[in-house]
């Protein structure tokens, strides 16, 4: 008698299938990286892929935080629809997508050959440098939209985002402002407000005392 051991993980396809592997990989990349830019590519050759990867790697070579990966469009679209489920590869996720007729805001970008530029940190300057690399490819590779943090963005949104200052720059500006205000600047401001309030209350008290004296003398 042959016993069939049921998988501990009830995946829609076999646990060792290509679809399960890709959905799991897309899920990991989506959750572990702050920025995922979706780009259309015109059937880049292997040599062109390697050249682009090298250029992107140089942007943040120290942290190795940028990755270029071609996507399997149909499977990535399925992942997007199931991405809110704890296990997008599961049968339960598939049932939920079908029952609720789930669609994803970014799935319309997956028309034709699509690639993802994956950035670990929420850093506008990295997006700006990535855009320069892709601009050199012209119509061969261009951004269409993507995910920044928890927000889904159009190309226009991404263009605005890449011009923002990074968190370290904003922190540095805040420290500078606090240093400029040190030496009593903030304290003086607070004391001035407190003194003005005290003077107002004292003036009101004097007015009430005068009014009481006037009434008692009548």
């Amino acid at each position: 008698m042959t016993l069939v051991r049921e998988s501990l993980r009830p995946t829609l396809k076999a646990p060792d299938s290509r679809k399960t592997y890709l959905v799991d990989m897309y899920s990991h990349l989506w959750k572990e990286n702050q920025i995922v830019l979706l780009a259309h590519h015109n059937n880049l050759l292997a040599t062109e892929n390697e050249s682009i990867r090298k250029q992107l790697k140089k942007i943040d070579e120290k942290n190795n935080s940028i990755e270029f990966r071609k996507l399997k469009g149909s499977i990535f679209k399925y992942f997007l629809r199931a991405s809110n489920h704890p296990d997008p590869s599961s049968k339960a996720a598939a049932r939920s997508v079908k029952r609720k007729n789930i669609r994803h805001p970014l799935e319309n970008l997956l028309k034709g050959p699509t690639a993802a530029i994956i950035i670990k940190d929420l850093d506008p300057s990295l997006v700006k440098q990535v855009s320069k690399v892709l601009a050199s490819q012209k119509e061969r590779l261009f951004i269409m939209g993507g995910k920044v943090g928890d927000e889904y963005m159009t190309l226009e949104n991404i263009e605005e985002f890449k011009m923002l200052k990074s968190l370290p720059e904003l922190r540095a500006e805040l420290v500078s402002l606090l240093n400029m205000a040190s030496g009593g600047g903030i304290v003086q401001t607070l004391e001035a407000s407190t003194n003005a309030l005290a003077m107002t209350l004292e003036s009101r008290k004097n007015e009430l005392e005068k009014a009481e004296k006037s009434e008692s003398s009548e």
Side-chain angles (χ1 to χ4, degrees), residues 137-153:
Q137 301 297 319
K138 298 182 179 179
E139 296 301 314
R140 300 283 290 162
L141 179 67
F142 53 90
I143 297 172
M144 300 180 293
K147 173 183 84 91
V148 176
D150 294 325
E151 300 294 326
Y152 304 132
M153 293 194 168

Side-chain angles (χ1 to χ4, degrees), residues 174-189:
L174 178 59
V175 170
S176 177
L177 289 172
L178 291 174
N179 287 336
M180 290 174 60
S182 64
I186 294 178
V187 174
Q188 289 174 4
T189 301

Side-chain angles (χ1 to χ4, degrees), residues 13-197:
K13 298 295 183 180
D16 58 350
S17 69
R18 178 170 172 76
K19 181 171 183 177
T20 299
Y21 166 76
L22 287 176
V23 172
D24 286 349
M25 181 185 67
Y26 294 152
S27 180
H28 174 76
L29 294 175
W30 196 257
K31 292 176 181 176
E32 297 301 319
N33 296 278
Q34 289 291 325
I35 300 174
V36 179
L37 304 176
L38 299 178
H40 179 83
H41 68 87
N42 286 313
N43 297 313
L44 297 170
L45 301 175
T47 53
E48 294 171 320
N49 291 335
E50 189 60 26
S51 174
I52 292 167
R53 287 191 175 95
K54 287 181 178 178
Q55 292 179 65
L56 292 175
K57 186 176 181 179
K58 286 181 181 179
I59 293 174
D60 194 27
E61 197 163 8
K62 182 179 179 181
N63 298 314
N64 195 28
S65 65
I66 302 175
E67 181 181 353
F68 174 76
R69 184 179 291 274
K70 286 185 175 179
L71 301 174
K72 181 69 173 176
S74 59
I75 296 180
F76 190 76
K77 180 186 289 186
Y78 173 80
F79 157 71
L80 287 178
R81 293 178 177 181
S83 58
N84 286 330
H85 194 277
D87 185 358
S89 294
S90 67
K91 294 178 181 178
R95 288 195 296 268
S96 178
V97 169
K98 185 175 182 179
R99 183 175 67 254
K100 298 178 182 179
N101 193 28
I102 295 174
R103 296 294 181 268
H104 193 279
L106 296 178
E107 67 177 72
N108 288 333
L109 301 181
L110 306 176
K111 295 177 180 177
T114 309
I117 297 92
I118 302 147
I119 305 173
K120 187 170 185 61
D121 301 317
L122 195 64
D123 188 342
S125 67
L126 294 180
V127 177
K128 190 173 185 178
Q129 293 177 75
V130 166
S131 296
K132 289 181 180 179
V133 171
L134 268 60
S136 67
Q137 301 297 319
K138 298 182 179 179
E139 296 301 314
R140 300 283 290 162
L141 179 67
F142 53 90
I143 297 172
M144 300 180 293
K147 173 183 84 91
V148 176
D150 294 325
E151 300 294 326
Y152 304 132
M153 293 194 168
T154 63
L155 176 58
E156 290 74 18
N157 299 145
I158 292 171
E159 289 293 319
E160 293 174 0
F161 172 78
K162 75 181 185 182
M163 303 309 295
L164 299 177
K165 295 181 179 179
S166 66
L167 288 176
E169 290 174 322
L170 293 174
R171 290 192 187 103
E173 288 186 2
L174 178 59
V175 170
S176 177
L177 289 172
L178 291 174
N179 287 336
M180 290 174 60
S182 64
I186 294 178
V187 174
Q188 289 174 4
T189 301
L190 294 174
E191 286 182 343
S193 300
T194 304
N195 291 337
L197 178 60

